[in-house]
Amino acid sequence: MFINKVENTGILALDLIDFKTNLAILSFDIKTLLYQEAIVKEKEFREALAAVDWSAFRNKAVAISCSVDAIIPPWVYMALAEKLHPVAAYYDFKAMEDLEIDLWMQALQAMDLSNFQQQKVVIRARPNIPASLYMLATERLIPIVQTLMYGEVGMPKVIFKKKGKYNESINI
């Protein structure tokens, strides 16, 4: 009879890839709204803003950027937010990759941790997962888990383990 020793460990696995956003992320470059793609002239900017088809951003995340070296007054960002607010699921002034990580972190922050209470938990090793996500998961899990590990259920690396009845922690 085959005995699955990994199953018998009682270790719960958490895969951070499960929290990656499913939202489509679009880029919006402010330079297209600038006068001669160089400066903000209020009248021309407002006309260009009004001409944009904002429905293209419906239910999407929007990474706003400016690819030219221009002085952008804060009211421009406010005007963009006013247009995107009714249509976009999320928007911010940052690179697409940074916006994706923000959304990923928000999902991880909102994660229900109740099933990890006083459990042995391993955060799965995955390539290309930003370090900040591993750090956030660790921050959220340390107060509630019995043991926190990294890697795979069969060969985890212990990161944190509660010690004794006083719940003192040690880092290994």
Side-chain angles (χ1 to χ4, degrees):
M1 178 176 179
F2 176 75
I3 297 173
N4 187 337
K5 291 182 181 181
V6 172
E7 259 182 35
N8 291 338
T9 63
I11 297 174
L12 300 177
L14 174 64
D15 198 338
L16 297 179
I17 202 78
D18 294 340
F19 297 91
K20 190 172 184 178
T21 186
N22 292 329
L23 274 177
I25 300 174
L26 300 179
S27 177
F28 185 85
D29 191 346
I30 293 173
K31 107 174 167 179
T32 62
L33 303 176
L34 302 179
Y35 177 73
Q36 295 183 348
E37 295 190 343
I39 61 172
V40 176
K41 287 179 91 176
E42 185 172 359
K43 181 181 178 207
E44 287 81 355
F45 178 82
R46 290 193 185 275
E47 288 171 356
L49 199 61
V52 174
D53 177 12
W54 298 103
S55 66
F57 301 101
R58 186 164 311 285
N59 301 322
K60 304 212 174 34
V62 184
I64 301 164
S65 64
C66 186
S67 62
V68 294
D69 190 19
I71 297 170
I72 309 294
W75 67 264
V76 166
Y77 303 112
M78 295 171 69
L80 284 164
E82 185 269 331
K83 295 297 186 187
L84 287 167
H85 185 74
V87 292
Y90 187 81
Y91 52 90
D92 202 349
F93 185 80
K94 56 182 58 180
M96 288 178 70
E97 300 80 24
D98 295 334
L99 187 74
E100 180 181 41
I101 291 170
D102 280 359
L103 292 169
W104 207 341
M105 289 184 83
Q106 286 177 18
L108 194 54
Q109 196 72 285
M111 170 180 66
D112 177 16
L113 300 175
S114 58
N115 58 327
F116 297 115
Q117 197 78 6
Q118 297 303 313
Q119 299 293 319
K120 296 184 246 176
V121 178
V122 64
I123 298 176
R124 286 229 153 106
R126 290 261 186 201
N128 305 323
I129 296 218
S132 57
L133 291 168
Y134 284 106
M135 294 178 79
L136 177 59
T138 301
E139 175 187 329
R140 295 219 47 226
L141 289 168
I142 279 180
I144 66 160
V145 300
Q146 185 62 40
T147 306
L148 181 63
M149 298 164 277
Y150 168 82
E152 292 302 323
V153 176
M155 289 187 52
K157 174 180 276 309
V158 175
I159 303 299
F160 165 85
K161 191 171 190 172
K162 282 189 179 168
K163 179 179 165 186
K165 64 181 180 180
Y166 299 107
N167 289 336
E168 297 173 23
S169 63
I170 57 167
N171 291 326
I172 299 174

